[in-house]
Amino acid sequence: MKGKIIVNDQVIDWRAGMTVSDVLTVMNYTFKLLVIQINGKNIKRDDWPTATVPEGADVKVIHLMSGG
Amino acid sequence: MNIGEMKAAHKRITRWEYQPGRIEKGYNDRTLHVDLSTSTVTEKPVTPLMKDKFIGGKGFGLYLLWHATKPTTQWNDPENEIIISPGPCAGITQYAGAGKSLVVSISSQSGRIMDSNVGGYFGPYMKFAGFDAIELQGKANEDVIIVIDGTDHSVTIETAPKEAIDSHVLAEQLTEMYAKDEKDKINVAVVSAGTAADHSLIGMLNFSFWDPRRKVARLKQAGRGGIGTVFRDKRIKALVCKTTGIKPNWNNVVDLNKIIERGQRFQKEIKELDDKQCEMRDKGTAHLMEIMDAYDLLPTTNFRFGKAADIGEDINKIHSNVLKSLFNLKWRDLDGCWFGCAMSCCKSVDGFELKTGPYKGDKVTVDGPEYETAAGLGSNCGIFDPLHIIEANFYCDTYGICTITVGTITAFVMECYEAGILNKERTGGLELKFGNSLAALELIHQMATGKGFGAIAGRGAEYMKHYFADQGWGDRQFLSDIAMVNKGLEYSQYMSKESLAQQGGYAMTNKGPQHDEAWLIFMDMVNNQIPSFEDKAEALYYFPMFRTWFGLCGFCKLPWNDVEPENNREKYPPKEAAKVPEHVDNYLTVFKAVTGRDIDKDELILQSARVYNFQRIFNIRRGYGLRQHDAQPYRACGPVTKREYESRQERYDKQLVDWMGMTPEAVAKMTVEEKIAAHRKYRTDRYEKLLDAVYKRRGWTRNGVPTIAWLKEIGMDLPEVIEVVKPLQ
Ligand code: SF4
């Protein structure tokens, strides 16, 4: 997918060098208990600011609170 | 008047002495029954069947209430009971969050079977005094208090004519009255309601715990469904329980070391991870304020919108950091509502000077606000003022009315006011516009006196929607659409419009729309983890059953998933991680270590399923509990008004294309009214399909009745239960 990525089944714009943290900012995902997977692979929290998201990636940002 | 004079005015009606017992494996094996009509006190055995099928807590409450009442019993009939039961694990201090009680009664608001969970010291102290539950039945002729004295093994019923009714005063008066000295105050627990419980149907109960650092009786609430109204209708002013002090193993558990080991492991998690995760020790559940806003889930102006910005407001005004700045965090890690709770989420605002009402000018300690309170009394009423939230929180507590209910009621009447259904003439002069703090507070004060418009509002949203339509003030359908009420109970404070699973999580509950059965919004709406009806049905099976279990045993839900082990996310696939498997294992271990019963995670779900189905059938026995009663107000499901639609036009238009298969060209030609109608049809049908899927998964008929085969499979095939469902198969 040219210039796009999929985040939780939503298609959003991609740009070169986009990190996991950037994706969270774009999506306004401010919750803290998250599991992040890029193309099925877990990305550790410490790596979120540096891990880049490839074009066309399938990103899952799983919010864990079962909560309330 | 001083405490001595108040005590001197008491007249003893009954004194009953009992043999001291010994708790074995979490059970006293007896319950206490108080009949206020005849002023008699008796004890009853806990049978093996009760322990086997109902475990304790809510299970005991439901079992005892079933046998105490008839299908026709009304909330204000003398035979209606209030049952308080803490559960076998309640009272341990070595694992966090093990001091909860469940309160069960026929609801004054809905006629259904209500249950409400609550912290504070009364439940565990009653266990230490010798009883696994108390049944309060009958009605007294005058205001009485009931004192369970675990220090001399007696129960007394006495008149109490001089004490206050409002909880923040009464709890302190009685704590002082029944404590030997200052140090002994921690050994006294009080249950009370308040003046609004006298004049409304939405009364709640406050359970005290003495805070020796602040030197005040703090209050935790059994809020939902009007149990405080039932309490005052019985002319009970308060319950008092005295104990001799906490002992490390008062429950005589099977394996204390195991509990200590798991407890320490959990404490370490809190210490190391809470600041990075939910900040429960700093903010309590109020940490959710800006998170809910960011995800479009914060109810704003009667659940119309999910964000402060939708009405030109700023979430930062009621951001959790603002609330935190008002909390006294001097004893941050000791703010537990039961001993040993490292999560210590019970925050308080100390020295708060009241600006309105009968206590104007007083400086008080206010418990909370928790998220539900801040969202309900704040954003949902369009009031983004933290000081308003704290003042309204205080008055709801001391008057004995539920903050969630009051929030949703006020939001409803404010929308009615803005829609012209209400006006100053109809509200007796109250200008109930969204954002009007003084009018919202005045409404609460009127509920306390039962005067003015407060007398109408205090009957709840279900009553009001019919009343306003009957008066010819507004369109019946519109009122039904915007009154956020199901099963006679007001919604708690989350937006469910974009989460079908949460719509079920609210409207398919036993007691009414409270989020304590299932909170599936992230899983469903944000993560898209449960896309099919079957997936949603599975979640609406597992989570309500799992969460029911806390209330059977005496646990608090919060330590389960408001902190998670550091490696939870790496170790388990996301759907499993949401269940926090290591914490589930802690609970299984602690349950076994207390009771000696070795259960696995499947048996845990079965234990809950038995009680859950019993409660459903109890409602069926009373003429409720069927498919028609699981219907939701349309506001919970989709956009009712043009303004709501237009606020999220892009999203809704896209859904017309993606979900309903319309072409963008066709959508472009539709009026907003036509689009709203298309959404309504689609979303309503979809909810019906969800009902089908969930009923199937839960082993119920299409009408929502548990099947006999299912009841046999889970082991809830008691003859009295089968008798109710047999004609409905
Ligand atoms: S987590 Fe909070 S509500 Fe639950 S037991 Fe601990 S202090 Fe009480």
Side-chain angles (χ1 to χ4, degrees), chain B residues 224 297 299 303 371-372 404 484 486-487 489-497 499-521 540 629-633 636 687:
Chain B
R224 311 285 353 241
L297 295 169
F303 298 89
Y371 164 75
E372 297 287 340
I404 295 175
M484 286 294 282
N486 149 275
K487 301 185 175 74
L489 190 72
E490 288 75 9
Y491 271 67
S492 74
Q493 310 298 334
Y494 296 97
M495 296 289 286
S496 57
K497 276 181 204 164
S499 168
L500 177 60
Q502 188 57 33
Q503 290 168 30
Y506 267 140
M508 297 167 76
T509 44
N510 271 325
K511 68 165 168 265
Q514 170 77 354
H515 54 282
D516 62 347
E517 276 198 16
W519 197 92
L520 301 171
I521 303 183
L540 281 166
H629 305 110
D630 291 338
Q632 59 179 338
Y687 182 68

Coordinates of all heavy atoms in Angstrom, one line a residue, chain B residues 224 297 299 303 371-372 404 484 486-487 489-497 499-521 540 629-633 636 687:
Chain B
R224 N -25.4 1.8 43.9 CA -26.4 1.7 42.9 C -27.8 1.1 43.3 O -27.8 0.3 44.2 CB -25.9 0.8 41.7 CG -24.5 1.1 41.2 CD -24.3 2.3 40.3 NE -25.4 3.1 39.8 CZ -25.7 3.3 38.6 NH1 -25.0 2.7 37.6 NH2 -26.7 4.1 38.2
L297 N -14.7 8.8 24.7 CA -15.5 8.0 25.6 C -16.0 8.7 26.8 O -16.8 8.1 27.6 CB -14.7 6.8 26.0 CG -14.3 5.8 24.9 CD1 -13.3 4.8 25.5 CD2 -15.5 5.1 24.3
P299 N -18.4 10.8 28.7 CA -19.8 11.3 28.4 C -19.8 12.8 28.7 O -19.5 13.3 29.7 CB -20.6 10.5 29.4 CG -19.7 10.1 30.5 CD -18.4 9.9 29.9
F303 N -24.3 12.2 27.5 CA -23.8 11.1 26.6 C -24.0 11.5 25.1 O -24.1 10.7 24.2 CB -24.6 9.8 26.8 CG -24.4 9.3 28.2 CD1 -25.2 9.6 29.3 CD2 -23.4 8.3 28.5 CE1 -25.0 9.1 30.6 CE2 -23.2 7.8 29.7 CZ -24.0 8.2 30.8
Y371 N -13.4 8.3 39.0 CA -13.6 8.7 37.6 C -15.2 8.8 37.4 O -15.6 9.8 36.8 CB -13.1 7.6 36.6 CG -13.7 7.7 35.3 CD1 -13.3 8.8 34.4 CD2 -14.7 6.9 34.9 CE1 -13.9 9.0 33.2 CE2 -15.4 7.1 33.6 CZ -15.0 8.1 32.8 OH -15.6 8.3 31.6
E372 N -15.9 7.8 37.8 CA -17.4 7.8 37.5 C -18.0 9.1 38.1 O -18.9 9.6 37.5 CB -18.0 6.6 38.2 CG -17.6 5.3 37.7 CD -18.1 5.0 36.3 OE1 -19.1 5.6 35.9 OE2 -17.5 4.2 35.6
I404 N -23.1 8.4 40.5 CA -23.3 8.0 39.1 C -24.8 8.3 38.7 O -25.0 8.8 37.7 CB -23.0 6.5 38.9 CG1 -21.5 6.2 39.2 CG2 -23.4 6.0 37.6 CD1 -21.2 4.7 39.2
M484 N -30.9 8.0 29.7 CA -29.9 6.9 29.7 C -30.2 6.0 30.9 O -29.6 6.0 32.0 CB -28.5 7.5 29.8 CG -28.1 8.1 28.4 SD -28.0 6.8 27.1 CE -26.4 6.1 27.5
N486 N -31.7 1.8 31.7 CA -32.1 0.5 31.3 C -32.4 -0.3 32.5 O -31.7 -0.2 33.5 CB -30.9 -0.2 30.4 CG -30.8 -1.7 30.5 OD1 -30.2 -2.2 31.5 ND2 -31.4 -2.4 29.6
K487 N -33.5 -1.1 32.5 CA -33.9 -1.8 33.7 C -34.1 -0.9 34.9 O -33.9 -1.3 36.0 CB -32.8 -2.9 34.1 CG -32.6 -3.9 33.0 CD -31.6 -5.0 33.5 CE -31.5 -6.1 32.4 NZ -30.6 -5.7 31.3
L489 N -32.4 1.6 35.9 CA -31.2 2.1 36.5 C -30.5 3.0 35.5 O -30.4 2.7 34.3 CB -30.3 0.9 36.9 CG -29.1 1.3 37.7 CD1 -29.5 1.6 39.2 CD2 -28.1 0.1 37.8
E490 N -29.9 4.1 36.0 CA -29.2 5.0 35.1 C -27.8 4.4 34.7 O -27.2 3.7 35.5 CB -28.9 6.3 35.8 CG -30.2 7.2 36.0 CD -31.1 6.7 37.1 OE1 -30.7 5.7 37.9 OE2 -32.3 7.2 37.2
Y491 N -27.4 4.8 33.5 CA -26.1 4.3 33.0 C -25.0 4.9 33.8 O -25.0 6.0 34.3 CB -25.9 4.8 31.5 CG -26.5 3.8 30.5 CD1 -27.9 3.6 30.4 CD2 -25.7 3.1 29.7 CE1 -28.4 2.6 29.5 CE2 -26.2 2.2 28.8 CZ -27.5 1.9 28.7 OH -28.0 1.0 27.8
S492 N -23.9 4.1 33.9 CA -22.7 4.6 34.4 C -21.9 5.4 33.3 O -22.4 5.4 32.1 CB -21.8 3.5 35.1 OG -21.2 2.7 34.1
Q493 N -20.7 5.9 33.6 CA -20.2 7.0 32.7 C -19.2 6.6 31.6 O -18.1 7.0 31.6 CB -19.6 8.0 33.7 CG -20.5 8.4 34.8 CD -21.8 9.1 34.4 OE1 -21.9 9.7 33.3 NE2 -22.9 9.0 35.2
Y494 N -19.7 5.8 30.7 CA -18.9 5.5 29.5 C -19.8 5.6 28.3 O -20.9 5.2 28.3 CB -18.2 4.2 29.5 CG -17.2 4.0 30.7 CD1 -17.6 3.4 31.9 CD2 -15.9 4.5 30.6 CE1 -16.7 3.3 32.9 CE2 -15.0 4.3 31.6 CZ -15.4 3.7 32.8 OH -14.6 3.6 33.8
M495 N -19.2 6.1 27.2 CA -19.9 6.2 25.9 C -19.9 4.8 25.2 O -18.8 4.2 25.0 CB -19.3 7.2 25.0 CG -19.3 8.6 25.5 SD -20.9 9.3 25.5 CE -21.1 9.6 23.7
S496 N -21.0 4.3 24.9 CA -21.1 2.9 24.3 C -21.5 3.0 22.8 O -21.5 1.9 22.2 CB -22.0 2.0 25.1 OG -23.3 2.6 25.1
K497 N -21.7 4.2 22.3 CA -22.3 4.2 20.9 C -21.4 3.5 19.8 O -22.0 2.9 18.9 CB -22.3 5.7 20.4 CG -23.5 6.5 20.9 CD -23.5 7.9 20.4 CE -24.3 8.8 21.2 NZ -24.1 10.2 21.1
S499 N -19.2 1.1 20.4 CA -18.8 -0.3 20.8 C -20.1 -1.1 21.0 O -20.7 -1.1 22.1 CB -18.0 -0.2 22.1 OG -17.8 -1.6 22.6
L500 N -20.4 -2.0 20.1 CA -21.5 -2.8 20.2 C -21.4 -3.8 21.4 O -22.4 -4.0 22.1 CB -21.7 -3.7 18.9 CG -22.8 -4.7 18.8 CD1 -24.1 -4.0 19.0 CD2 -22.8 -5.5 17.5
A501 N -20.2 -4.3 21.6 CA -20.0 -5.2 22.7 C -20.3 -4.5 24.0 O -20.9 -5.1 24.9 CB -18.6 -5.7 22.7
Q502 N -19.9 -3.2 24.1 CA -20.2 -2.5 25.4 C -21.7 -2.2 25.5 O -22.2 -2.2 26.6 CB -19.4 -1.2 25.5 CG -19.5 -0.6 26.9 CD -19.1 -1.5 28.0 OE1 -18.2 -2.3 27.9 NE2 -19.7 -1.3 29.2
Q503 N -22.4 -2.1 24.4 CA -23.8 -1.9 24.5 C -24.4 -3.1 25.2 O -25.3 -3.0 26.1 CB -24.4 -1.7 23.1 CG -24.0 -0.3 22.5 CD -24.4 -0.3 21.0 OE1 -25.3 -0.9 20.5 NE2 -23.6 0.5 20.3
G504 N -23.9 -4.3 24.8 CA -24.3 -5.5 25.5 C -23.8 -5.5 26.9 O -24.5 -5.9 27.9
G505 N -22.6 -5.0 27.1 CA -22.0 -5.0 28.5 C -22.8 -4.2 29.4 O -22.7 -4.4 30.6
Y506 N -23.5 -3.2 28.9 CA -24.4 -2.4 29.7 C -25.8 -3.0 29.8 O -26.3 -3.2 30.9 CB -24.5 -1.0 29.2 CG -23.5 0.0 29.7 CD1 -22.8 1.0 28.9 CD2 -23.2 0.1 31.1 CE1 -21.9 1.9 29.4 CE2 -22.3 1.0 31.6 CZ -21.7 1.9 30.7 OH -20.8 2.8 31.2
A507 N -26.4 -3.1 28.7 CA -27.9 -3.4 28.7 C -28.2 -4.9 29.0 O -29.4 -5.2 29.2 CB -28.5 -2.9 27.4
M508 N -27.2 -5.8 28.9 CA -27.6 -7.2 29.1 C -27.1 -7.6 30.5 O -27.1 -8.8 30.8 CB -26.8 -8.0 28.1 CG -27.3 -7.7 26.7 SD -26.3 -8.4 25.4 CE -26.8 -10.1 25.6
T509 N -26.9 -6.6 31.4 CA -26.5 -6.9 32.8 C -27.7 -7.4 33.6 O -28.9 -7.2 33.2 CB -26.0 -5.6 33.4 OG1 -26.9 -4.6 33.1 CG2 -24.6 -5.3 33.0
N510 N -27.4 -8.0 34.7 CA -28.5 -8.4 35.6 C -29.1 -7.2 36.3 O -30.4 -7.1 36.4 CB -28.0 -9.4 36.6 CG -28.0 -10.8 36.2 OD1 -29.0 -11.2 35.5 ND2 -27.1 -11.6 36.5
K511 N -28.3 -6.3 36.9 CA -28.9 -5.3 37.7 C -29.2 -4.0 36.9 O -30.0 -3.2 37.4 CB -28.0 -5.0 38.9 CG -26.7 -4.3 38.5 CD -26.1 -3.7 39.8 CE -24.6 -3.3 39.6 NZ -23.7 -4.3 40.0
G512 N -28.6 -3.8 35.8 CA -28.8 -2.6 35.0 C -27.4 -2.1 34.6 O -26.4 -2.7 35.0
P513 N -27.4 -1.0 33.8 CA -26.2 -0.6 33.1 C -25.1 0.0 34.0 O -24.8 1.2 34.0 CB -26.7 0.5 32.1 CG -27.9 1.0 32.8 CD -28.5 -0.1 33.6
Q514 N -24.4 -0.9 34.7 CA -23.2 -0.6 35.4 C -22.0 -1.3 34.8 O -22.2 -2.4 34.3 CB -23.4 -1.0 36.9 CG -22.2 -0.9 37.8 CD -21.8 0.5 38.2 OE1 -22.5 1.4 37.8 NE2 -20.9 0.6 39.1
H515 N -20.9 -0.7 34.7 CA -19.8 -1.2 34.0 C -19.1 -2.4 34.7 O -18.1 -2.9 34.2 CB -18.8 -0.2 33.7 CG -18.3 0.5 34.9 ND1 -19.1 1.5 35.5 CD2 -17.2 0.4 35.7 CE1 -18.5 1.9 36.6 NE2 -17.4 1.2 36.7
D516 N -19.5 -2.8 35.9 CA -18.8 -3.8 36.6 C -18.9 -5.2 36.1 O -18.2 -6.1 36.5 CB -19.1 -3.7 38.1 CG -20.6 -4.1 38.4 OD1 -21.4 -4.1 37.5 OD2 -20.9 -4.3 39.6
E517 N -19.9 -5.4 35.2 CA -19.9 -6.7 34.6 C -18.9 -6.9 33.4 O -18.3 -7.9 33.3 CB -21.3 -7.0 34.0 CG -22.3 -7.5 35.1 CD -23.5 -8.2 34.5 OE1 -23.5 -8.5 33.3 OE2 -24.5 -8.4 35.2
A518 N -18.9 -5.9 32.6 CA -18.0 -6.0 31.5 C -17.6 -4.6 31.0 O -18.5 -3.7 30.8 CB -18.6 -6.7 30.3
W519 N -16.3 -4.4 30.7 CA -15.9 -3.1 30.1 C -15.0 -3.5 28.9 O -13.9 -3.9 29.0 CB -15.0 -2.3 31.1 CG -14.9 -0.9 30.7 CD1 -15.7 0.1 31.0 CD2 -13.9 -0.3 29.8 NE1 -15.3 1.3 30.4 CE2 -14.2 1.0 29.6 CE3 -12.9 -0.9 29.1 CZ2 -13.5 1.9 28.8 CZ3 -12.1 0.0 28.2 CH2 -12.4 1.3 28.1
L520 N -15.7 -3.5 27.8 CA -15.1 -4.1 26.6 C -14.7 -3.1 25.5 O -14.4 -3.4 24.4 CB -16.1 -5.1 26.0 CG -16.5 -6.3 26.9 CD1 -17.6 -7.1 26.3 CD2 -15.3 -7.2 27.3
I521 N -14.8 -1.8 25.8 CA -14.7 -0.8 24.8 C -13.4 -0.8 24.1 O -13.3 -0.8 22.8 CB -15.0 0.6 25.4 CG1 -16.4 0.6 26.1 CG2 -15.0 1.7 24.3 CD1 -16.8 2.0 26.6
L540 N -18.7 -11.4 26.1 CA -19.8 -11.1 27.0 C -20.2 -12.3 27.8 O -21.2 -12.3 28.6 CB -21.0 -10.5 26.2 CG -20.8 -9.1 25.8 CD1 -21.8 -8.6 24.8 CD2 -21.0 -8.2 27.1
H629 N -36.3 -6.8 28.4 CA -35.7 -6.0 29.4 C -34.2 -5.7 29.2 O -33.6 -4.9 29.9 CB -35.8 -6.7 30.8 CG -37.3 -7.0 31.1 ND1 -37.8 -8.3 31.1 CD2 -38.3 -6.2 31.4 CE1 -39.1 -8.3 31.4 NE2 -39.4 -7.0 31.5
D630 N -33.7 -6.3 28.1 CA -32.3 -6.0 27.7 C -32.3 -5.0 26.6 O -31.2 -4.7 26.0 CB -31.6 -7.3 27.3 CG -31.4 -8.3 28.4 OD1 -31.3 -7.8 29.6 OD2 -31.2 -9.5 28.2
A631 N -33.4 -4.3 26.4 CA -33.4 -3.3 25.4 C -32.7 -2.1 25.9 O -32.7 -1.8 27.1 CB -34.9 -2.9 25.0
Q632 N -32.0 -1.3 25.0 CA -31.2 -0.2 25.4 C -31.9 1.1 24.9 O -32.5 1.1 23.8 CB -29.8 -0.3 24.9 CG -29.6 -0.4 23.4 CD -28.2 -0.5 23.0 OE1 -27.3 -0.1 23.7 NE2 -28.0 -1.0 21.8
P633 N -31.6 2.2 25.6 CA -32.1 3.5 25.0 C -31.2 3.8 23.7 O -30.0 3.5 23.7 CB -31.7 4.5 26.1 CG -30.7 3.9 26.9 CD -30.9 2.4 26.8
A636 N -27.6 5.2 23.7 CA -26.5 4.3 24.1 C -26.0 3.6 22.8 O -24.9 3.0 22.8 CB -26.9 3.3 25.1
Y687 N -27.9 -4.8 17.2 CA -28.0 -5.1 18.7 C -28.8 -6.4 18.9 O -28.5 -7.2 19.7 CB -28.5 -3.9 19.4 CG -28.6 -4.1 20.9 CD1 -27.5 -4.3 21.7 CD2 -29.8 -4.3 21.6 CE1 -27.5 -4.6 23.0 CE2 -29.9 -4.6 22.9 CZ -28.8 -4.7 23.6 OH -28.8 -5.0 25.0

